[in-house]
């Protein structure tokens, strides 16, 4: 007969990580209420703001995933001997995620006010915003996994690499906007987010998360050379660029096999076909994970 056993060390680790998660979520709830200018209970329960619910859910998921990842990477003894280092690491990761999120809101999609749209119950805006938040979380954790920041030089390399990857997100978004305009008589993708086409939001979120997973795979397959900025940036661009190309090639093949003779652009852009959009989301997410599984070392 086998018994389920948990060591005292495991119980302490669970207790500490859960306490940190709870404290962070309380802070997150307060900040969300300040942005909404009213109690979160009123916005979610009384006004039935689905968009706010989706946005808040993604934030909770990012908090839990980030802290769980950190406590999995750092031993309990190391955390107990240097708790300030763990706290600083958590703060840095959340700072990277938030900065990436702001870059997405203020620069990549500068013509679309996501925060205002979410308060107006725009589910498409919530999906676009949540997808990019989760994507930035994946990239931040991928950078930590790549360099395991141990000093100022590694932190500087990680910071510059983070902004390089933001450039990759921006370029990918511009390509998507170009393709959307080409397929829709010059229409703006950012303007269409305001039309509350849920399927467009699902597709955009899926591609953002898929690209982040591909970036994680590129980082996981690349070697990190401490103190070498140029070499590390070249390695990052080449590996993540290759994963980016592979993501789209493999996803296109899977979509062609899964949805033969179906114009996915027409179905998503004009018919608001949520089913087709969900298939695209699943394909990009799964291919991103496949790349991590195949190329991580």
């Amino acid at each position: 007969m086998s018994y389920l056993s948990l060591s005292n060390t495991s119980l302490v680790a669970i207790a500490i990580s859960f306490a940190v998660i709870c404290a962070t979520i309380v802070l997150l709830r307060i900040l969300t209420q300040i942005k909404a200018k009213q109690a979160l209970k009123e916005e979610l329960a009384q006004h039935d703001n689905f968009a706010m619910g989706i946005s808040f859910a993604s934030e909770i998921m990012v908090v839990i995933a980030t802290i769980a990842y950190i406590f999995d990477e750092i031993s309990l003894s190391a955390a107990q001997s240097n708790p300030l280092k763990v706290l600083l690491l958590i703060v840095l990761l959340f700072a990277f995620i938030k900065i990436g999120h702001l870059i997405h809101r203020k620069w990549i999609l500068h013509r679309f006010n996501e925060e205002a749209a979410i308060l107006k119950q725009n589910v498409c805006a919530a999906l676009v915003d949540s997808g990019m938040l989760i994507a930035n979380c994946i990239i931040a954790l991928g950078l930590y996994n790549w360099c395991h920041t141990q000093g100022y030089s590694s932190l500087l390399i990680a910071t510059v690499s983070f902004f390089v990857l933001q450039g990759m997100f921006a370029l990918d978004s511009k390509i998507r906007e170009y393709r959307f305009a080409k397929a829709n008589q010059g229409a703006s993708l950012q303007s269409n987010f305001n039309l509350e086409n849920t399927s467009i939001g699902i597709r955009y979120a899926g591609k953002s998360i898929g690209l982040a997973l591909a970036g994680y795979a590129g980082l996981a397959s690349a070697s990190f050379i401490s103190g070498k900025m140029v070499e590390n940036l070249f390695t990052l661009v080449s590996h993540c660029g290759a994963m980016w190309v592979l993501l789209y090639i493999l996803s296109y093949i899977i979509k062609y096999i899964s949805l033969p003779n179906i114009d996915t652009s027409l179905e998503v852009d004009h018919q608001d076909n949520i089913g087709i959009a969900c298939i695209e989301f699943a394909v990009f997410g799964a291919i991103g994970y496949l790349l991590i599984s195949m190329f991580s070392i």
Side-chain angles (χ1 to χ4, degrees), residues 54-117:
I54 292 169
S55 179
F56 191 55
S58 66
E59 291 173 342
I60 291 173
M61 187 178 79
V62 164
V63 167
I64 296 174
T66 302
I67 294 175
Y69 188 92
I70 291 303
F71 276 86
D72 181 57
E73 288 288 314
I74 299 175
S75 65
L76 181 61
S77 58
Q80 288 177 324
S81 62
N82 197 349
L84 186 60
K85 178 182 176 182
V86 177
L87 179 61
L88 180 60
L89 181 58
I90 292 173
V91 170
L92 281 172
L93 282 172
F94 282 137
F96 271 67
I97 294 168
K98 186 59 180 177
I99 290 169
H101 197 205
L102 287 173
I103 289 173
H104 173 252
R105 283 182 169 181
K106 305 300 182 182
W107 180 47
I108 298 177
L109 296 182
H110 62 92
R111 295 192 302 274
F112 177 57
N113 191 330
E114 292 169 310
E115 286 186 283

Side-chain angles (χ1 to χ4, degrees), residues 10-28:
S10 299
L11 290 173
V12 171
I14 291 170
I16 294 173
S17 61
F18 190 71
V20 175
I21 287 169
C22 290
T24 309
I25 289 177
V26 169
L27 178 61
L28 177 64

Side-chain angles (χ1 to χ4, degrees), residues 3 62 80 83 94 134 140 156 160-162 179 181 255 262 273 285:
Y3 295 93
V62 164
Q80 288 177 324
F94 282 137
I134 295 169
L156 179 61
V160 175
S161 300
F162 179 76
R179 294 182 63 187
K255 286 196 299 178
I262 294 179
N273 192 324

Side-chain angles (χ1 to χ4, degrees), residues 202-220:
I202 294 172
R203 180 181 63 188
Y204 192 96
K207 288 186 176 181
S208 297
I209 294 172
L211 180 59
L213 291 169
Y216 189 103
L219 290 166

